[in-house]
Amino acid sequence: MMIPPQEASARRREIEDKLKQEEETLSFIKDSLDKSDQLTKNMVSILSSFESRLMKLENSIIPVHKQTENLQRLQENVEKTLSCLDHVISYYHVASDTKKIIREGPTGRLEEYLGSMAKVQKAVEYFQDNSPDSPELNKVKLLFERGKESLESEFRSLMTRHSKVVSPVLILDLISGEDELEVQEEVSLEHLPEGVLQDVIRISRWLVEYGHNQDFMNVYYRIRSSMLDRSIKGLKEHFRKNSSSSGVPYSPAIPNKRKDTPTKKPVKRPGTIRKAQNLLKQYSQHGLDGKKGGSNLIPLEGRDDMLDVETDAYIHCISAFVRLAQSEYQLLTDIIPEHHQKKTFNSLIQDALEGLMLEGENIGAAARKAIGRHDYSAVLTVFPILRHLKQTKPEFDQVLQGTAVSTKNKLPSLIITLENTGAKALEDFADNIKNDPDKEYNMPKDGTVHELTSNAILFLQQLLDFQETAGAMLASQETSSSATSYSSEFSKRLLSTYICKVLGNLQLNLLSKSKVYEDPALSAIFLHNNYNYILKSLEKSELIQLVAVTQKTAERSYREHIEQQIQTYQRSWLKVTDYIAEKNLPVFQPGVKLRDKERQVIKERFKGFNDGLEELCKIQKAWAIPDTEQRDKIRQAQKHIVKETYGAFLHRYSSVPFTKNPEKYIKYRVDQVGDMIDRLFDTSA
């Protein structure tokens, strides 16, 4: 279809307008690009110029910077050199700066003195490293050695001046708490004042670390060893001077803290032997009723109190050693280096420990000598000591832990020695009871208890207080058991067997001794008294329970023996009662006049009875039966028999005309006969 001419013309004009417009835009862009190119060229030119200038500036600045850096380094080096020179120069002045302080010593200014010693030590190290040939090295070395010697001297001086012996009173306070049921304020020991202790610690550490010196440890243990030994000896001397029969000497160590307690009860006695010793002494001089007895068992003669004091003193010294040694070890750990502590402690306790062990051995030796003299009361000192040593042994072992083997073995060795001594005493005592000689002049004339019996029973009674100790003694001698394997029951059976052996030996010896008496009745009274004394003593002291462990019928057996002797005694009256016994009387008819022969027989019967009664009463009045109950029992039994027999005889013949002088033959009424018998065994009647 054909476009009209007008539209075509309009379209052409429109296109031409657009084309013109685009051409204008293109022209503008070209102009802009030209301007941009020009600006770029200008910028490149400026940058090139700036770069050139920067390069010039850099070439100028870098040499200046390097020169400045070198100058700064040089300045630092100069400063360091000056500092080093000052430091080095200071070492050359150390000797002159510290000489006065070191010469005057550390007393009263330990801190300042140790500071000076540190300077001297550094100077020594410097010269040794940098100038070993310098004369200054010798100066500071001599100064250092002099300072070290002053510190050693100060250590010795502080330890000597401030170490004090612990007073006996304070030691007793220290160990008395072991037996107190009430909780009391703990007693502490201050061996050195706190300020002094700190100085001693600082000096000891300096000597070890810088002085490389161990001599001060020897100084330490010698001084403290002396204090420990003197403290224990002081306690022992305190006992000797102040002990009395009322108990252990004691006075409060801290009275101002115990004003509400005016008196303190004595320390519990670890073993009581005074009673037995006094009784043994008493029975050595008199029988039960005051008559002279006899035995070759030698009792104490005035030594009992001294032995008791020595025993108490030794026992308390053992406890004191444990407590003081514990305290010494605590002090030592602060002052002595750890790897030297055990060795130093071992040396420190030697004198005190050796003294205690030697004293214990002397006690054992004295006991062995006493055994040789048959003085078995003296060996009683071994029992409480041995028991206390065994009770204390665990603490002993703990205190001595880490010490030398020879030190640890001292106490076990002493225990074995005392145990063997005690066992020997027990064995010899039993043999001596069996073999105590029969000597007529030693026998009690009144038939009372023999001293052998009283001594034997008293000795056995003491074993009740030391059952475990005595049983262990006996067990230690048994080849079938070792010191660690026997039980307490085994020991108890051994002790029971031993007591039964002693009682058996005693019974055999008494039977032998009773034969010394010519009168069987007195022999019976003698055995009765001794058997009765044994039985009553067993019952009162509870020995009977220990005997019953191996002999269930012991009590019944003694009662049978006692009754048997009573019957033997009663037979002595047969020669009196046989005169008037019905079986021996003449037979006659009532109302029939008696023949002369019959009258004579009746007279002889009366006379024989009267003479026999008077003779027996005179003799037996001088005999003794100390036991009131037994004495009354025997009197009553005999009185009943005699009165009954005499009463029947008197009733039968009192009205018979057998004599013109009846008062000559009928001398006693029945009640008079009873009164005479009531005065038997009574020397005061």
Side-chain angles (χ1 to χ4, degrees):
M1 178 171 120
M2 290 297 289
I3 299 174
Q6 293 87 351
E7 290 181 7
S9 176
R11 185 79 178 264
R12 190 180 302 113
R13 283 194 302 275
E14 184 179 353
I15 292 172
E16 288 177 351
D17 289 340
K18 287 183 178 180
L19 181 60
K20 185 179 179 179
Q21 195 175 24
E22 290 293 334
E23 288 176 351
E24 290 176 353
T25 301
L26 180 61
S27 175
F28 176 76
I29 291 173
K30 285 181 178 181
D31 291 340
S32 296
L33 287 174
D34 291 339
K35 289 179 179 179
S36 177
D37 288 340
Q38 187 61 42
L39 289 173
T40 300
K41 289 178 180 179
N42 292 339
M43 181 60 69
V44 170
S45 176
I46 292 171
L47 289 175
S48 298
S49 175
F50 184 71
E51 181 179 8
S52 175
R53 291 179 180 181
L54 282 177
M55 289 180 66
K56 290 179 180 180
L57 180 62
E58 184 178 0
N59 292 334
S60 300
I61 291 300
I62 287 177
V64 174
H65 175 72
K66 288 181 178 180
Q67 186 177 7
T68 303
E69 187 178 9
N70 290 335
L71 290 174
Q72 289 176 341
R73 188 178 298 110
L74 288 173
Q75 183 180 0
E76 290 176 359
N77 290 339
V78 169
E79 290 175 354
K80 288 180 180 180
T81 301
L82 291 173
S83 176
C84 288
L85 287 173
D86 290 339
H87 183 66
V88 170
I89 291 171
S90 69
Y91 287 128
Y92 286 86
H93 294 151
V94 165
S96 58
D97 292 343
T98 60
K99 184 176 181 180
K100 181 181 178 182
I101 296 175
I102 292 177
R103 183 178 64 249
E104 293 175 354
T107 304
R109 52 175 180 180
L110 181 62
E111 188 71 29
E112 181 183 4
Y113 193 87
L114 291 177
S116 296
M117 287 298 294
K119 293 178 181 179
V120 174
Q121 182 185 355
K122 289 180 180 179
V124 171
E125 293 172 353
Y126 171 80
F127 288 120
Q128 284 178 336
D129 294 339
N130 299 283
S131 184
D133 298 327
S134 171
E136 291 295 328
L137 176 59
N138 292 330
K139 287 183 181 180
V140 291
K141 268 189 174 182
L142 290 173
L143 197 59
F144 182 81
E145 291 300 322
R146 182 174 181 179
K148 185 169 72 170
E149 290 174 1
S150 295
L151 284 171
E152 293 172 3
S153 178
E154 178 70 4
F155 182 89
R156 181 184 295 104
S157 176
L158 289 174
M159 291 298 303
T160 302
R161 285 188 288 113
H162 296 281
S163 289
K164 304 296 182 184
V165 174
V166 183
S167 70
V169 170
L170 185 56
I171 294 175
L172 287 173
D173 256 348
L174 186 66
I175 64 180
S176 65
E178 300 172 5
D179 299 318
E180 298 286 337
L181 295 179
E182 299 178 1
V183 178
Q184 296 185 353
E185 181 179 351
E186 183 179 355
V187 180
S188 60
L189 296 178
E190 185 182 68
H191 295 292
L192 296 172
E194 183 60 30
V196 174
L197 176 60
Q198 294 305 318
D199 285 350
V200 168
I201 292 173
R202 292 199 64 185
I203 293 174
S204 68
R205 289 178 179 173
W206 188 94
L207 289 173
V208 172
E209 186 174 356
Y210 302 111
H212 305 293
N213 176 283
Q214 297 182 5
D215 292 341
F216 79 94
M217 300 180 197
N218 297 330
V219 172
Y220 177 86
Y221 92 70
R222 290 193 185 100
I223 294 174
R224 293 311 307 170
S225 175
S226 176
M227 294 300 106
L228 176 61
D229 191 38
R230 289 168 58 190
S231 297
I232 293 176
K233 287 179 178 176
L235 176 63
K236 184 178 179 181
E237 189 64 26
H238 184 69
F239 270 83
R240 287 177 174 172
K241 289 182 178 179
N242 301 292
S243 264
S244 64
S245 59
S246 60
V248 175
Y250 187 86
S251 57
I254 314 176
N256 60 327
K257 292 186 178 181
R258 298 181 178 177
K259 292 181 180 178
D260 58 333
T261 307
T263 59
K264 181 177 177 66
K265 63 182 180 180
V267 180
K268 184 179 179 182
R269 298 271 295 280
T272 55
I273 62 174
R274 186 187 304 278
K275 178 180 177 182
Q277 292 168 338
N278 288 339
L279 288 173
L280 285 172
K281 179 180 178 182
Q282 172 188 340
Y283 281 112
S284 72
Q285 298 170 346
H286 302 284
L288 277 180
D289 60 347
K291 296 297 192 302
K292 183 71 177 177
S295 170
N296 73 334
L297 290 176
I298 301 175
L300 293 174
E301 297 292 345
R303 297 180 298 114
D304 49 339
D305 289 345
M306 182 56 67
L307 279 174
D308 208 21
V309 170
E310 292 295 330
T311 300
D312 278 338
Y314 186 72
I315 286 173
H316 283 82
C317 284
I318 289 292
S319 294
F321 172 81
V322 173
R323 293 291 169 263
L324 292 177
Q326 289 173 340
S327 182
E328 287 291 346
Y329 190 77
Q330 291 173 357
L331 177 67
L332 177 143
T333 55
D334 291 330
I335 299 173
I336 304 299
E338 184 176 358
H339 53 287
H340 291 285
Q341 289 173 1
K342 294 296 184 182
K343 181 180 178 181
T344 304
F345 180 68
N346 184 77
S347 300
L348 188 156
I349 63 175
Q350 282 305 311
D351 287 348
L353 181 60
E354 189 67 31
L356 288 174
M357 296 302 105
L358 180 60
E359 187 176 351
E361 290 172 2
N362 290 338
I363 290 173
R368 287 191 291 275
K369 289 181 180 178
I371 296 168
R373 300 190 306 268
H374 304 299
D375 181 3
Y376 298 101
S377 57
V379 84
L380 290 174
T381 58
V382 172
F383 284 86
I385 289 174
L386 182 57
R387 180 175 66 181
H388 188 68
L389 289 178
K390 285 189 170 184
Q391 291 173 344
T392 313
K393 187 176 181 298
E395 289 183 281
F396 240 99
D397 293 342
Q398 185 176 7
V399 169
L400 301 183
Q401 188 177 6
T403 58
V405 175
S406 59
T407 302
K408 294 178 182 177
N409 289 339
K410 288 184 185 297
L411 182 65
S413 177
L414 177 59
I415 288 176
I416 291 173
T417 298
L418 294 181
E419 206 162 53
N420 290 337
T421 300
K424 181 68 165 59
L426 294 176
E427 179 184 352
D428 283 11
F429 181 79
D431 292 341
N432 200 72
I433 291 294
K434 181 178 180 180
N435 301 319
D436 187 68
D438 300 325
K439 295 182 180 178
E440 185 174 354
Y441 63 84
N442 274 339
M443 294 296 290
K445 295 180 180 180
D446 55 4
T448 189
V449 176
H450 197 280
E451 185 190 9
L452 177 71
T453 303
S454 60
N455 281 351
I457 293 300
L458 284 168
F459 188 85
L460 293 179
Q461 285 174 344
Q462 297 313 299
L463 299 185
L464 285 175
D465 292 331
F466 306 100
Q467 292 186 44
E468 291 185 8
T469 304
M473 286 178 179
L474 296 169
S476 68
Q477 306 303 305
E478 291 290 313
T479 56
S480 61
S481 65
S482 65
T484 57
S485 63
Y486 57 79
S487 64
S488 59
E489 185 62 29
F490 175 67
S491 299
K492 188 174 184 180
R493 290 190 65 83
L494 284 178
L495 183 58
S496 175
T497 302
Y498 171 78
I499 293 174
C500 292
K501 176 183 177 181
V502 171
L503 293 175
N505 290 349
L506 178 60
Q507 186 173 341
L508 290 174
N509 198 311
L510 291 173
L511 283 171
S512 175
K513 290 183 184 301
S514 69
K515 296 175 183 177
V516 172
Y517 296 110
E518 295 179 357
D519 191 335
L522 181 55
S523 177
I525 290 298
F526 171 77
L527 290 175
H528 164 273
N529 283 334
N530 282 272
Y531 291 155
N532 183 65
Y533 177 84
I534 293 171
L535 178 60
K536 291 296 178 65
S537 298
L538 292 179
E539 292 175 335
K540 288 180 181 179
S541 65
E542 299 180 359
L543 271 171
I544 195 67
Q545 284 88 343
L546 196 53
V547 169
V549 172
T550 53
Q551 282 197 10
K552 305 292 185 183
T553 61
E555 185 176 1
R556 184 180 67 188
S557 177
Y558 273 110
R559 295 192 187 281
E560 291 174 352
H561 288 320
I562 292 170
E563 190 60 35
Q564 182 181 353
Q565 298 309 318
I566 292 176
Q567 293 174 6
T568 301
Y569 162 75
Q570 288 176 341
R571 284 197 288 272
S572 69
W573 283 83
L574 290 177
K575 62 182 180 180
V576 175
T577 56
D578 276 355
Y579 280 106
I580 59 176
E582 186 173 353
K583 62 181 180 178
N584 296 324
L585 297 178
V587 180
F588 62 91
Q589 295 296 327
V592 178
K593 185 178 180 179
L594 295 176
R595 296 191 299 272
D596 291 342
K597 183 178 180 181
E598 292 174 336
R599 286 196 296 270
Q600 186 61 33
V601 170
I602 295 173
K603 290 178 183 179
E604 290 176 355
R605 296 291 184 268
F606 270 106
K607 186 176 185 305
F609 173 78
N610 292 335
D611 291 347
L613 176 66
E614 291 168 357
E615 181 185 4
L616 281 185
C617 287
K618 180 181 178 181
I619 294 173
Q620 295 185 7
K621 184 174 69 172
W623 297 353
I625 300 179
D627 189 319
T628 304
E629 182 181 348
Q630 286 292 314
R631 183 169 64 237
D632 292 343
K633 175 184 175 182
I634 292 174
R635 283 174 177 172
Q636 291 299 323
Q638 199 59 54
K639 186 167 65 172
H640 175 74
I641 295 172
V642 176
K643 285 177 66 176
E644 184 177 334
T645 306
Y646 181 64
F649 175 76
L650 193 61
H651 177 73
R652 185 170 184 176
Y653 292 104
S654 61
S655 59
V656 174
F658 66 92
T659 179
K660 293 180 180 180
N661 300 307
E663 65 277 0
K664 178 180 178 181
Y665 297 98
I666 306 176
K667 296 174 64 175
Y668 303 104
R669 300 188 306 274
V670 174
D671 59 334
Q672 287 180 314
V673 172
D675 291 343
M676 292 173 69
I677 295 176
D678 278 336
R679 289 194 292 273
L680 297 178
F681 318 115
D682 188 358
T683 57
S684 64

